[in-house]
Amino acid sequence: MLILDSNKISENEVTDRAVYDNRRKFMKTAAGIGIVAVSGLPLGQAQAKSNYSTEEKKTDFKDISTYCNFYEFGTGKSDPAQNAHSLMTSPWDVVVEGECANPGKYNLEDIIKQVSLEERIYRFRCVEGWSMVIPWMGFPLAELIKRMEPTSKAKYVYFETLLDRKNMPGVARPVLDWPYAEGLRMDEAMNPLTLMGTGIYGKDLLNQNGAPLRLVVPWKYGFKSIKSIVKIRFTETQPSTSWQKANKNEYGFYSNVNPEVSHPRWSQRRERRIGQFKKIKTQKFNGYAEQVASMYSEMDLKKFF
Amino acid sequence: MKIPEMIFNRVFRPILFVLLVLPALYYAWGFWQDNLGANPLEAIIRGLGDWALRILLLTLLISPLRRLLNWTQLLRMRRMLGLYAYFYVVLHLIGYLWFDQFFDWSEIWFDILERPFITVGMISVVLLTPLAITSTKGFIRRLGKRWKRLHTLIYPISMLAVLHFWWMAKLDKSEPLIYAVLLSILLAERLFRKYVK
């Protein structure tokens, strides 16, 4: 119990790297001898190490939390970290609607209670040509979807970000068609890699990273991983997304990471891993081909980019 | 308007010279101290580009300002400004070739062909180079009337430079728009003088 208590304390601290790595080491051991870790923090808590996690060097928390795209709080990379404190994340409800047996308004705490949170260390590739390695906390989106019991008509899942004109200074300008909207095909949404993120580095998500609930789709460009979700809708037809509406020639519905499909603004052949000097080669599906390539085997990915 | 020659040469010009080198020092220092944010290399490339464009517009401001204030001494600062603009353009280019492409020439060639904003950026640096080379007193004398004609290239170059920024911006065009408006004013003043007056 003593060990568990100290773990709990380190969870509650601002997790610096040493503490964090230490904690992870402990988690591995704990899992190995069959102890179920108990923690006071619901959202950021991980219970087991996932097989889907990468062993690559994690990006510094400082960089993850200061270099963000969250246009609702400004279009500059540092704007969200400066402005997102005004986001009200509690209480938080998610409205579920469309082609499913259990539509309604779900409180986030109730959602969290019924899922098992786990840590997933994923590569994160932005369409702008930079990437990070982020230790997310969260649960598979599939768990949530199963609970909503989508009907046979549900072919796509549509997501919407909060639109709060009072607390989101960025939405005063129509740079995107607010509210921010994204979507996945049902098989993509049900893929075991697809995560609903609730934390980073063992802590609750910071507002600028999309608190309290965001999507994480590691084989797609970052803008698909919609932040601060308030609405989920099951649809029969492909939903249109904010970036498609902004420029459909540059941002497709699928937006799978693909070094072979170049973008008028950025070559997608390489990426800058934040924290490293030299660029690295971009992998198809961001290195997750093994888990996801079969979903697209029939498709011309140059056409359906 | 006229400031005493001594002050103009010994104080005014040296101060301007020092001021214009500060942005380059800021990025060098910031890189050294690692306080340029999570993506310092991009911050350097973009920052140098910003300053190249700003100083280019300042260069274009000299003539109208001279006429407005009837201050002929200003013309003797124009070469320094123009060369500083070129200095930042070259640093911006080196930043791109090094920190963005790591001198991978085939990638750079693809980039020029594939990305319109890179294409116009490259065209403007190529066009700006002969202007920088011919900025010496000797060239001005030797080229005579042709010098003036050659240096009107600065107008299309500045338009390409703003276009380069405009096409680079992902979605939010507000910053390039500011430069576009400022440049339009500077160019419109010249057209107005040429055709209306």
Side-chain angles (χ1 to χ4, degrees):
Chain A
M1 278 325 283
L2 254 175
I3 304 171
L4 280 176
D5 278 345
S6 70
N7 175 48
K8 200 167 167 181
I9 292 162
S10 69
E11 281 268 355
N12 286 324
E13 284 169 358
V14 175
T15 321
D16 67 35
R17 270 298 282 282
V19 173
Y20 175 79
D21 287 340
N22 209 8
R23 190 189 62 78
R24 281 203 56 218
K25 211 178 287 166
F26 165 73
M27 296 300 262
K28 280 185 196 169
T29 329
I33 55 174
I35 298 172
V36 179
V38 182
S39 155
L41 271 177
L43 297 181
Q45 177 210 347
Q47 294 196 334
K49 189 182 168 288
S50 167
N51 292 328
Y52 296 120
S53 289
T54 170
E55 296 289 325
E56 286 160 274
K57 182 183 181 293
K58 294 179 285 288
T59 304
D60 283 347
F61 182 71
K62 185 171 170 256
D63 291 340
I64 296 175
S65 56
T66 55
Y67 193 74
C68 320
N69 279 324
F70 198 167
Y71 279 15
E72 282 85 338
F73 295 99
T75 54
K77 287 283 179 302
S78 53
D79 292 345
Q82 278 166 25
N83 301 330
H85 55 85
S86 56
L87 179 69
M88 308 296 273
T89 56
S90 179
W92 192 270
D93 292 322
V94 179
V95 172
V96 177
E97 54 187 36
E99 304 292 344
C100 68
N102 303 316
K105 196 188 238 184
Y106 291 81
N107 183 269
L108 181 60
E109 279 174 35
D110 297 335
I111 294 175
I112 299 296
K113 264 183 219 155
Q114 304 201 15
V115 294
S116 46
L117 294 175
E118 57 183 292
E119 177 180 69
R120 298 274 183 98
I121 307 170
Y122 281 161
R123 288 177 288 276
F124 182 91
R125 171 64 156 82
C126 179
V127 72
E128 296 166 2
W130 53 268
S131 65
M132 296 182 177
V133 175
I134 304 179
W136 300 103
M137 304 291 157
F139 59 92
L141 173 60
E143 284 188 30
L144 185 64
I145 291 181
K146 279 176 200 152
R147 200 178 144 197
M148 305 308 163
E149 296 179 36
T151 67
S152 59
K153 277 187 177 171
K155 302 279 195 291
Y156 295 89
V157 190
Y158 163 90
F159 303 88
E160 208 174 276
T161 296
L162 174 74
L163 174 55
D164 180 347
R165 295 196 184 274
K166 209 174 94 211
N167 293 315
M168 292 174 150
V171 301
R173 289 172 50 218
V175 280
L176 283 168
D177 187 6
W178 315 113
Y180 193 93
E182 261 306 336
L184 293 173
R185 215 168 58 187
M186 189 52 97
D187 58 339
E188 297 176 325
M190 296 298 288
N191 189 287
L193 276 182
T194 307
L195 200 72
M196 282 304 238
T198 55
I200 289 177
Y201 265 120
K203 292 188 293 178
D204 291 358
L205 279 177
L206 292 183
N207 290 353
Q208 61 264 37
N209 293 126
L213 183 71
R214 65 168 293 166
L215 190 63
V216 181
V217 201
W219 71 94
K220 292 175 180 286
Y221 292 119
F223 66 88
K224 293 293 292 181
S225 295
I226 181 171
K227 298 187 178 82
S228 306
I229 297 168
V230 290
K231 189 178 278 182
I232 297 175
R233 184 189 302 142
F234 296 96
T235 66
E236 194 170 7
T237 54
Q238 183 178 303
S240 68
T241 70
S242 290
W243 280 98
Q244 265 184 303
K245 279 189 248 176
N247 194 339
K248 66 175 164 46
N249 298 321
E250 294 186 15
Y251 310 99
F253 176 79
Y254 289 94
S255 289
N256 294 317
V257 174
N258 192 346
E260 293 148 33
V261 177
S262 138
H263 184 279
R265 251 171 276 280
W266 308 280
S267 155
Q268 302 296 22
R269 286 184 283 274
R270 290 178 300 165
E271 65 201 50
R272 169 164 287 135
R273 181 64 56 82
I274 295 299
Q276 292 180 17
F277 184 70
K278 287 208 91 174
K279 288 192 174 181
I280 54 176
K281 281 211 162 96
T282 291
Q283 308 172 71
K284 199 164 186 182
F285 299 113
N286 204 20
Y288 297 99
E290 198 187 316
Q291 290 87 1
V292 302
S294 60
M295 292 191 290
Y296 311 103
S297 54
E298 305 288 306
M299 288 169 66
D300 177 0
L301 291 174
K302 291 208 163 86
K303 200 169 154 220
F304 297 97
F305 56 86
Chain B
M1 183 168 168
K2 189 170 175 13
I3 333 180
E5 275 299 309
M6 216 272 286
I7 294 180
F8 185 81
N9 288 327
R10 296 278 173 82
V11 181
F12 211 78
R13 279 165 54 100
I15 286 178
L16 188 70
F17 185 88
V18 170
L19 283 181
L20 289 172
V21 84
L22 289 182
L25 293 179
Y26 166 81
Y27 287 105
W29 179 251
F31 184 68
W32 184 253
Q33 295 293 312
D34 193 18
N35 60 14
L36 296 174
N39 198 344
L41 300 180
E42 191 184 78
I44 290 171
I45 298 172
R46 298 229 174 139
L48 292 171
D50 286 341
W51 281 101
L53 195 49
R54 282 169 200 159
I55 299 171
L56 192 64
L57 293 189
L58 268 183
T59 314
L60 289 174
L61 180 66
I62 292 289
S63 301
L65 208 59
R66 193 251 313 172
R67 285 190 286 272
L68 191 72
L69 303 174
N70 195 20
W71 185 6
T72 47
Q73 282 169 318
L74 271 182
L75 283 181
R76 282 188 279 137
M77 283 169 17
R78 194 166 55 179
R79 172 164 46 194
M80 192 207 298
L81 281 171
L83 284 173
Y84 255 120
Y86 188 66
F87 171 68
Y88 281 96
V89 165
V90 169
L91 288 183
H92 177 55
L93 177 68
I94 292 173
Y96 162 78
L97 296 175
W98 187 0
F99 300 152
D100 202 58
Q101 300 295 346
F102 297 92
F103 302 112
D104 182 334
W105 299 106
S106 68
E107 275 294 324
I108 291 165
W109 183 241
F110 271 129
D111 224 22
I112 295 172
L113 296 180
E114 274 182 3
R115 266 160 284 289
F117 87 98
I118 298 286
T119 318
V120 296
M122 286 296 177
I123 294 173
S124 20
V125 70
V126 167
L127 292 180
L128 198 57
T129 302
L131 271 56
I133 293 172
T134 59
S135 64
T136 61
K137 280 207 171 89
F139 265 114
I140 297 173
R141 202 174 47 239
R142 257 176 289 164
L143 291 174
K145 268 190 176 166
R146 284 176 301 164
W147 188 89
K148 223 173 170 181
R149 239 187 19 236
L150 176 66
H151 280 249
T152 53
L153 268 180
I154 198 65
Y155 301 124
I157 290 169
S158 54
M159 287 190 266
L160 287 175
V162 171
L163 190 63
H164 166 69
F165 190 16
W166 188 278
W167 280 345
M168 190 277 293
K170 186 182 175 187
L171 186 66
D172 184 358
K173 307 280 188 190
S174 53
E175 241 187 285
L177 182 66
I178 294 170
Y179 289 96
V181 168
L182 292 175
L183 178 64
S184 306
I185 294 171
L186 291 170
L187 296 182
E189 188 268 345
R190 285 165 171 86
L191 283 177
F192 179 78
R193 243 174 3 94
K194 191 170 179 198
Y195 293 106
V196 182
K197 279 200 172 167

